[in-house]
């Protein structure tokens, strides 16, 4: 269980006046738009490492798609936006097994699907289903891969994690990093690492530590001031 140094817990995240449900899986859901957002799936990371002689269990893609399927069943979105680095490298989509390709096709059925191009997968083919975009703007909310710090922005790329210490215990978990005007999403992929939110990259985006880490605990999200993390 993530120790909670603050009494505040919340399962919602505000971005530029819009309210999103922050899910324990690491996804965001915008009920008004029936829109589900995930980031940094990094599909086929295991096979990418295997090509370089680093052997990892080859189950990351099926695990990630399985978790994504559970979230889609729970929210039944009209549209899904994948915020870039959905594939670990530019050739990863070619390495999808037939079974995993069928799973992806089933997830896309009867809904709009938008792939945002990332730095790992900047040239996504239309044959994956859905559409490909550099970024998407819905109302006052912009969806892109690399965060710029702009107001109304939902981005990924940095894989935020928060470390919390209390009573001699220290634990690190994935988190949403946000200040009400912008949010950086946690990586959704099974084999993705993370960057501590006290890194200078987050200070540049938020103008210091005046933002909140919505930490993914075992059974709920924990809203913890970034300044209280270590």
């Amino acid at each position: 269980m993530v120790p909670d140094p603050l009494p505040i817990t919340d399962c919602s995240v505000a971005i530029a006046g819009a309210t999103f449900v922050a899910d324990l899986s690491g996804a965001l859901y915008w009920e008004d738009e029936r829109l589900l957002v995930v980031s940094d799936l990094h599909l086929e990371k295991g096979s990418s490492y295997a090509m370089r002689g680093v052997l990892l269990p080859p189950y990351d893609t099926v695990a990630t798609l399985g978790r994504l399927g559970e979230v889609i069943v729970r929210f039944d979105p009209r549209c899904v936006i994948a915020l870039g680095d959905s594939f670990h490298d530019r050739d990863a989509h070619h390495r999808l097994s037939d079974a995993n390709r069928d799973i992806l096709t089933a997830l896309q059925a009867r809904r709009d699907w938008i792939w945002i191009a990332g730095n790992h997968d900047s040239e996504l083919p239309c044959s994956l289903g859905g559409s490909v975009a550099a970024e998407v703007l819905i109302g006052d909310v912009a969806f892109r891969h690399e965060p710029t710090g702009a107001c109304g922005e939902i981005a990924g790329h940095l894989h935020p994690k928060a470390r919390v210490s209390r009573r001699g215990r220290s634990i690190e978990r994935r988190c949403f990093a946000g200040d009400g005007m912008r949010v950086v999403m946690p990586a959704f992929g099974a084999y993705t690492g993370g960057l501590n939110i006290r890194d200078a990259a987050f200070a540049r985006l938020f103008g210091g530590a005046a933002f909140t880490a919505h930490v993914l605990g075992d059974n709920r999200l924990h809203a913890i001031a970034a300044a209280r993390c270590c």
Side-chain angles (χ1 to χ4, degrees):
M1 179 73 69
V2 174
D4 189 358
L6 297 178
I8 303 169
T9 58
D10 199 356
C11 62
S12 64
V13 174
I15 301 101
T19 301
F20 291 75
V21 174
D23 190 72
L24 273 175
S25 65
L28 282 177
Y29 182 64
W30 191 358
E31 186 173 5
D32 290 348
E33 298 288 335
R34 288 188 58 199
L35 171 66
L36 183 73
V37 189
V38 292
S39 187
D40 295 274
L41 304 178
H42 282 269
L43 300 174
E44 292 301 313
K45 182 173 182 176
S47 63
S48 179
Y49 272 56
M51 291 169 61
R52 291 178 283 163
V54 180
L55 299 182
L56 296 174
Y59 308 120
D60 59 305
T61 296
V62 69
T64 300
L65 292 178
R67 289 175 53 241
L68 181 55
E70 291 172 359
V71 178
I72 287 175
V73 167
R74 185 155 63 250
F75 290 106
D76 189 23
R78 180 174 54 205
C79 178
V80 174
I81 296 179
L83 284 183
D85 286 1
S86 299
F87 294 86
H88 190 66
D89 57 68
R90 65 173 57 195
D91 296 318
H93 59 276
H94 292 305
R95 300 195 302 274
L96 281 176
S97 68
D98 289 342
N100 286 334
R101 199 174 293 274
D102 289 344
I103 292 172
L104 181 57
T105 298
L107 295 179
Q108 294 174 322
R110 300 180 303 281
R111 57 181 49 90
D112 295 330
W113 193 286
I114 303 172
W115 302 101
I116 300 293
N119 57 298
H120 280 253
D121 54 2
S122 58
E123 298 179 1
L124 289 166
C126 294
S127 60
L128 285 170
S131 58
V132 179
E135 60 181 57
V136 172
L137 182 66
I138 301 177
D140 294 325
V141 183
F143 301 86
R144 58 175 61 98
H145 178 60
E146 296 194 32
T148 66
C151 291
E153 175 179 81
I154 298 179
H157 182 58
L158 293 180
H159 302 197
K161 283 189 174 182
R163 183 182 295 117
V164 181
S165 294
R166 190 184 186 195
R167 297 175 183 172
R169 294 184 59 201
S170 179
I171 192 167
E172 188 175 60
R173 292 287 181 92
R174 295 180 300 142
C175 69
F176 299 89
D179 63 357
M181 292 305 299
R182 57 192 66 78
V183 68
V184 182
M185 294 187 62
F188 195 88
Y191 283 177
T192 49
L195 181 65
N196 191 297
I197 59 167
R198 298 308 302 270
D199 188 272
F202 291 98
R204 286 192 295 270
L205 288 174
F206 294 103
F211 63 95
T212 300
H214 298 266
V215 183
L216 307 185
D218 292 332
N219 300 299
R220 61 178 182 174
L221 273 81
H222 301 255
I224 304 172
R228 298 288 297 273
C229 299
C230 54

